[in-house]
Amino acid sequence: MRHAHTVEQVRAAEDVLLARMPEGALMARAAHGLAQAIIDLLGSPYGGRVLLLVGPGNNGGDALFAGAVLARRGCQVEAWTFADRVHEEGERALRAAGGRSSRFDAATSRPAPGTDLVVDGIVGIGGRPGLKPDAIAARDQVTGLPVVAVDVPSGVDVDSGETPGPHVTADVTVTFGTHKVAHLVDPAAAACGAVHLVDLGLALPPADVEALQPVDVAALLPRPGTQAHKYTRGVVGIRAGSSDYPGAGLLSVAGASTGLCGMVRYVGDAAVATRVRDVHPEVVGDGRVQAWVVGSGTGPHAAAELAAVLRDGESGVPCVIDADALAHVTAPLTSPAVLTPHAGELAAMTGVDRADIEAAPLAHARRAAMTYDAVVLLKGRHTLVAAPDGRVRVTTTGTPWLATAGAGDVLGGLIGALLAAGLDPFDAASVGSWVHGAAATLASDGGPIVAVDVASAVPAVVRRLLA
Ligand SMILES: NC(=O)C1=CN([C@@H]2O[C@H](COP(=O)(O)OP(=O)(O)OC[C@H]3O[C@@H](n4cnc5c(N)ncnc54)[C@H](O)[C@@H]3O)[C@@H](O)[C@H]2O)[C@@H](O)CC1
Ligand SMILES: [K+]
């Protein structure tokens, strides 16, 4: 599991270690990890040219000490400082190693020709969101050069992943001790580039925000026992599609029919049912289920379909509520459910502007999960799965090619199959979303895909996970 801790949690864990270690040892560990990551990018430090952006705190200190390591190994290191006082020992170490530092001046400071990369040490976990005018001017001076952010790209809101003001956009972020929320949650996560973690040996509490890794998904995936039969593996019912939107029914069934549960029922328009069975002859009609998927392409029937599903919910049958059915959900739900809105659908449900949801997806997903007392899966580049108790999982698999019609229908079906197989709503939604993203990446192989390709790739993803 990848855990993302809050600044408060990180500070508390660092304090314990700081009390036990010689002064400066923790920062030295961080700076060496940072220097090593920069050397990996440069190929060789000798003859390289690196520009440090150094703010007033320990984040700037990390940059200065890493700069000293690089300078000792033959790199030309220059620092621009953004405060009257920067980390004194760090600045002394840089100068002693042959590096230079000077106060940034918007009128005259320019990166030296041949600069290989820029290190952003303006602010870290002690920073307020946004950048001051001189930092904005410096950021704009180095446009086009690769940027390595120290801990976080300066200017992002570390604990929420929001970017309410100007910020640095990095190609690589080297962070310390643990991931922070901004490394996983958009829009800040999109400004981090590739994130590299340097271990500091911190002892950390459980994290509210996490990202499943392949080993976690493999452990959670249902797999048939030796005595399994189709009913013990779970039955999922699909109420999606209509004569106007038959494809929604077909794709929801495709997502459910990837072999992760024992049986799929399609309940809907007779003509759509015939087409579903032409493609998926194993699909049967109405009957008892262990989970429902409802909503996509149901148009004017959405409210009635949702009501039928929620009636079963009274006896504990969980459901996935998607697309057209989302508009008919009233809070709080009284049966186990996964809601799968994109930002526009969540905006329509809650009366909040879509742009506000996109600017603060973590806060809005969490609030919706509490309001509806249900798991809310908010779709996006990094899909968020929020539980009513505040826990959040971030999906980091996927490819931009997944932004294609019908992909959401496949996702709903897939999550429904996992619910039917016995996963709880939080696990079903987060595992389903992870597998969906991984299947898209596998099917895409760097090229275009359509929704049905994603469903087709699910068994191969599962096979690799269980191998
Ligand atoms: N605590 C520790 O021992 C360790 C800290 N480390 C580094 O220390 C960082 C945290 O250091 P600090 O607590 O000194 O905080 P920062 O270096 O993140 O910044 C705090 C300083 O920046 C100023 N500031 C805040 N927001 C600003 C903004 N938007 N623009 C300009 N200035 C702003 C504050 O007034 C304060 O002087 C971490 O991110 C990490 O890089 C690492 O060396 C690991 C060990
Ligand atoms: K930084």
Side-chain angles (χ1 to χ4, degrees), residues 321-323 326 339-350 354 357-358 376-380 383 408:
I321 304 175
D322 189 22
L326 289 168
L339 310 181
T340 57
H342 53 61
E345 288 164 335
L346 189 60
M349 292 165 72
T350 55
R354 180 186 186 132
I357 291 175
E358 285 170 342
V376 171
L377 180 152
L378 178 57
K379 294 170 187 168
T383 288

mmCIF file of all heavy atoms in Angstrom, residues 321-323 326 339-350 354 357-358 376-380 383 408:
data_model
loop_
_atom_site.group_PDB
_atom_site.id
_atom_site.type_symbol
_atom_site.label_atom_id
_atom_site.label_comp_id
_atom_site.label_asym_id
_atom_site.label_seq_id
_atom_site.Cartn_x
_atom_site.Cartn_y
_atom_site.Cartn_z
ATOM 1 N N ILE A 321 -24.456 2.451 -8.111
ATOM 2 C CA ILE A 321 -25.408 3.400 -8.704
ATOM 3 C C ILE A 321 -24.618 4.342 -9.615
ATOM 4 O O ILE A 321 -23.699 5.031 -9.172
ATOM 5 C CB ILE A 321 -26.151 4.203 -7.609
ATOM 6 C CG1 ILE A 321 -26.847 3.247 -6.638
ATOM 7 C CG2 ILE A 321 -27.146 5.166 -8.246
ATOM 8 C CD1 ILE A 321 -27.517 3.938 -5.448
ATOM 9 N N ASP A 322 -24.978 4.350 -10.891
ATOM 10 C CA ASP A 322 -24.182 5.062 -11.888
ATOM 11 C C ASP A 322 -25.089 5.963 -12.728
ATOM 12 O O ASP A 322 -26.313 5.794 -12.771
ATOM 13 C CB ASP A 322 -23.475 4.009 -12.770
ATOM 14 C CG ASP A 322 -22.438 4.634 -13.702
ATOM 15 O OD1 ASP A 322 -21.961 5.753 -13.417
ATOM 16 O OD2 ASP A 322 -22.116 4.006 -14.732
ATOM 17 N N ALA A 323 -24.481 6.876 -13.434
ATOM 18 C CA ALA A 323 -25.062 7.655 -14.532
ATOM 19 C C ALA A 323 -26.477 8.161 -14.236
ATOM 20 O O ALA A 323 -26.675 8.887 -13.263
ATOM 21 C CB ALA A 323 -25.009 6.810 -15.801
ATOM 22 N N LEU A 326 -27.999 8.355 -10.717
ATOM 23 C CA LEU A 326 -27.409 9.202 -9.674
ATOM 24 C C LEU A 326 -28.315 10.382 -9.341
ATOM 25 O O LEU A 326 -28.408 10.809 -8.187
ATOM 26 C CB LEU A 326 -26.029 9.707 -10.122
ATOM 27 C CG LEU A 326 -24.931 8.639 -10.173
ATOM 28 C CD1 LEU A 326 -23.704 9.161 -10.908
ATOM 29 C CD2 LEU A 326 -24.552 8.195 -8.755
ATOM 30 N N LEU A 339 -21.506 4.831 -5.242
ATOM 31 C CA LEU A 339 -21.945 5.829 -6.224
ATOM 32 C C LEU A 339 -20.743 6.148 -7.110
ATOM 33 O O LEU A 339 -19.638 6.340 -6.596
ATOM 34 C CB LEU A 339 -22.431 7.104 -5.540
ATOM 35 C CG LEU A 339 -23.442 6.967 -4.396
ATOM 36 C CD1 LEU A 339 -23.821 8.349 -3.852
ATOM 37 C CD2 LEU A 339 -24.689 6.256 -4.890
ATOM 38 N N THR A 340 -20.951 6.230 -8.428
ATOM 39 C CA THR A 340 -19.795 6.407 -9.322
ATOM 40 C C THR A 340 -19.943 7.636 -10.224
ATOM 41 O O THR A 340 -19.949 7.518 -11.444
ATOM 42 C CB THR A 340 -19.598 5.154 -10.194
ATOM 43 O OG1 THR A 340 -20.813 4.920 -10.929
ATOM 44 C CG2 THR A 340 -19.270 3.924 -9.379
ATOM 45 N N PRO A 341 -20.026 8.831 -9.625
ATOM 46 C CA PRO A 341 -20.176 10.026 -10.464
ATOM 47 C C PRO A 341 -18.851 10.530 -11.042
ATOM 48 O O PRO A 341 -17.789 10.304 -10.458
ATOM 49 C CB PRO A 341 -20.709 11.060 -9.470
ATOM 50 C CG PRO A 341 -20.082 10.661 -8.167
ATOM 51 C CD PRO A 341 -19.993 9.159 -8.194
ATOM 52 N N HIS A 342 -18.922 11.226 -12.177
ATOM 53 C CA HIS A 342 -17.803 12.103 -12.545
ATOM 54 C C HIS A 342 -18.126 13.486 -11.964
ATOM 55 O O HIS A 342 -19.206 13.686 -11.369
ATOM 56 C CB HIS A 342 -17.555 12.112 -14.051
ATOM 57 C CG HIS A 342 -18.737 12.429 -14.905
ATOM 58 N ND1 HIS A 342 -19.417 13.629 -14.824
ATOM 59 C CD2 HIS A 342 -19.375 11.703 -15.860
ATOM 60 C CE1 HIS A 342 -20.403 13.639 -15.683
ATOM 61 N NE2 HIS A 342 -20.416 12.464 -16.326
ATOM 62 N N ALA A 343 -17.214 14.429 -12.144
ATOM 63 C CA ALA A 343 -17.383 15.722 -11.457
ATOM 64 C C ALA A 343 -18.698 16.394 -11.854
ATOM 65 O O ALA A 343 -19.379 16.992 -11.010
ATOM 66 C CB ALA A 343 -16.201 16.632 -11.772
ATOM 67 N N GLY A 344 -19.094 16.286 -13.119
ATOM 68 C CA GLY A 344 -20.329 16.918 -13.576
ATOM 69 C C GLY A 344 -21.546 16.297 -12.905
ATOM 70 O O GLY A 344 -22.483 17.006 -12.506
ATOM 71 N N GLU A 345 -21.531 14.978 -12.774
ATOM 72 C CA GLU A 345 -22.663 14.301 -12.110
ATOM 73 C C GLU A 345 -22.707 14.638 -10.618
ATOM 74 O O GLU A 345 -23.782 14.868 -10.062
ATOM 75 C CB GLU A 345 -22.557 12.785 -12.314
ATOM 76 C CG GLU A 345 -22.884 12.381 -13.748
ATOM 77 C CD GLU A 345 -22.444 10.966 -14.112
ATOM 78 O OE1 GLU A 345 -21.492 10.439 -13.482
ATOM 79 O OE2 GLU A 345 -23.013 10.414 -15.061
ATOM 80 N N LEU A 346 -21.541 14.692 -9.982
ATOM 81 C CA LEU A 346 -21.536 15.052 -8.561
ATOM 82 C C LEU A 346 -22.017 16.495 -8.381
ATOM 83 O O LEU A 346 -22.723 16.813 -7.419
ATOM 84 C CB LEU A 346 -20.138 14.868 -7.954
ATOM 85 C CG LEU A 346 -20.065 15.006 -6.435
ATOM 86 C CD1 LEU A 346 -20.961 13.977 -5.737
ATOM 87 C CD2 LEU A 346 -18.640 14.876 -5.920
ATOM 88 N N ALA A 347 -21.656 17.362 -9.342
ATOM 89 C CA ALA A 347 -22.121 18.749 -9.288
ATOM 90 C C ALA A 347 -23.646 18.791 -9.351
ATOM 91 O O ALA A 347 -24.299 19.485 -8.563
ATOM 92 C CB ALA A 347 -21.506 19.544 -10.440
ATOM 93 N N ALA A 348 -24.220 18.021 -10.260
ATOM 94 C CA ALA A 348 -25.685 18.003 -10.398
ATOM 95 C C ALA A 348 -26.344 17.441 -9.137
ATOM 96 O O ALA A 348 -27.413 17.887 -8.725
ATOM 97 C CB ALA A 348 -26.076 17.179 -11.617
ATOM 98 N N MET A 349 -25.696 16.468 -8.498
ATOM 99 C CA MET A 349 -26.277 15.857 -7.294
ATOM 100 C C MET A 349 -26.225 16.798 -6.098
ATOM 101 O O MET A 349 -27.110 16.767 -5.241
ATOM 102 C CB MET A 349 -25.491 14.585 -6.915
ATOM 103 C CG MET A 349 -25.644 13.445 -7.891
ATOM 104 S SD MET A 349 -24.379 12.182 -7.614
ATOM 105 C CE MET A 349 -24.956 11.444 -6.085
ATOM 106 N N THR A 350 -25.158 17.592 -6.011
ATOM 107 C CA THR A 350 -24.921 18.345 -4.774
ATOM 108 C C THR A 350 -25.173 19.840 -4.918
ATOM 109 O O THR A 350 -25.154 20.564 -3.920
ATOM 110 C CB THR A 350 -23.449 18.147 -4.318
ATOM 111 O OG1 THR A 350 -22.580 18.522 -5.402
ATOM 112 C CG2 THR A 350 -23.180 16.697 -3.941
ATOM 113 N N ARG A 354 -19.226 22.453 -10.934
ATOM 114 C CA ARG A 354 -18.296 21.430 -11.403
ATOM 115 C C ARG A 354 -16.843 21.880 -11.215
ATOM 116 O O ARG A 354 -15.992 21.107 -10.768
ATOM 117 C CB ARG A 354 -18.585 21.154 -12.885
ATOM 118 C CG ARG A 354 -17.674 20.114 -13.450
ATOM 119 C CD ARG A 354 -17.832 19.931 -14.941
ATOM 120 N NE ARG A 354 -16.987 18.808 -15.318
ATOM 121 C CZ ARG A 354 -17.360 17.798 -16.071
ATOM 122 N NH1 ARG A 354 -18.542 17.766 -16.579
ATOM 123 N NH2 ARG A 354 -16.526 16.818 -16.333
ATOM 124 N N ILE A 357 -15.645 21.377 -7.760
ATOM 125 C CA ILE A 357 -15.368 19.968 -7.458
ATOM 126 C C ILE A 357 -14.024 19.564 -8.057
ATOM 127 O O ILE A 357 -13.208 18.906 -7.407
ATOM 128 C CB ILE A 357 -16.513 19.071 -7.984
ATOM 129 C CG1 ILE A 357 -17.776 19.342 -7.151
ATOM 130 C CG2 ILE A 357 -16.123 17.592 -7.939
ATOM 131 C CD1 ILE A 357 -19.011 18.621 -7.613
ATOM 132 N N GLU A 358 -13.765 20.019 -9.269
ATOM 133 C CA GLU A 358 -12.484 19.658 -9.904
ATOM 134 C C GLU A 358 -11.294 20.303 -9.193
ATOM 135 O O GLU A 358 -10.202 19.756 -9.187
ATOM 136 C CB GLU A 358 -12.515 20.039 -11.383
ATOM 137 C CG GLU A 358 -13.377 19.069 -12.181
ATOM 138 C CD GLU A 358 -13.660 19.508 -13.602
ATOM 139 O OE1 GLU A 358 -13.497 20.709 -13.893
ATOM 140 O OE2 GLU A 358 -14.049 18.662 -14.407
ATOM 141 N N VAL A 376 -18.242 6.734 -2.321
ATOM 142 C CA VAL A 376 -18.340 7.583 -3.516
ATOM 143 C C VAL A 376 -17.060 7.456 -4.313
ATOM 144 O O VAL A 376 -15.964 7.703 -3.792
ATOM 145 C CB VAL A 376 -18.602 9.057 -3.125
ATOM 146 C CG1 VAL A 376 -18.483 9.969 -4.346
ATOM 147 C CG2 VAL A 376 -19.987 9.193 -2.506
ATOM 148 N N LEU A 377 -17.206 7.036 -5.555
ATOM 149 C CA LEU A 377 -16.069 6.929 -6.470
ATOM 150 C C LEU A 377 -16.177 8.113 -7.419
ATOM 151 O O LEU A 377 -17.089 8.172 -8.243
ATOM 152 C CB LEU A 377 -16.131 5.600 -7.233
ATOM 153 C CG LEU A 377 -15.017 5.318 -8.243
ATOM 154 C CD1 LEU A 377 -14.796 3.811 -8.380
ATOM 155 C CD2 LEU A 377 -15.323 5.911 -9.612
ATOM 156 N N LEU A 378 -15.282 9.081 -7.236
ATOM 157 C CA LEU A 378 -15.295 10.286 -8.070
ATOM 158 C C LEU A 378 -14.274 10.100 -9.193
ATOM 159 O O LEU A 378 -13.067 10.048 -8.954
ATOM 160 C CB LEU A 378 -14.960 11.517 -7.208
ATOM 161 C CG LEU A 378 -14.874 12.857 -7.931
ATOM 162 C CD1 LEU A 378 -16.168 13.192 -8.673
ATOM 163 C CD2 LEU A 378 -14.531 13.973 -6.936
ATOM 164 N N LYS A 379 -14.786 10.001 -10.428
ATOM 165 C CA LYS A 379 -13.909 9.682 -11.556
ATOM 166 C C LYS A 379 -13.031 10.862 -11.925
ATOM 167 O O LYS A 379 -13.463 12.014 -11.862
ATOM 168 C CB LYS A 379 -14.768 9.294 -12.771
ATOM 169 C CG LYS A 379 -15.549 8.011 -12.570
ATOM 170 C CD LYS A 379 -16.567 7.808 -13.681
ATOM 171 C CE LYS A 379 -17.456 6.614 -13.378
ATOM 172 N NZ LYS A 379 -18.615 6.554 -14.278
ATOM 173 N N GLY A 380 -11.808 10.557 -12.322
ATOM 174 C CA GLY A 380 -10.899 11.603 -12.756
ATOM 175 C C GLY A 380 -9.591 10.971 -13.184
ATOM 176 O O GLY A 380 -9.482 9.740 -13.230
ATOM 177 N N THR A 383 -8.730 8.764 -10.019
ATOM 178 C CA THR A 383 -10.044 8.527 -9.415
ATOM 179 C C THR A 383 -9.918 8.389 -7.900
ATOM 180 O O THR A 383 -8.972 7.779 -7.404
ATOM 181 C CB THR A 383 -10.649 7.252 -10.042
ATOM 182 O OG1 THR A 383 -11.038 7.577 -11.384
ATOM 183 C CG2 THR A 383 -11.855 6.744 -9.268
ATOM 184 N N GLY A 408 -17.033 4.047 -18.375
ATOM 185 C CA GLY A 408 -17.687 4.078 -17.071
ATOM 186 C C GLY A 408 -18.667 2.920 -16.903
ATOM 187 O O GLY A 408 -18.847 2.403 -15.796
#
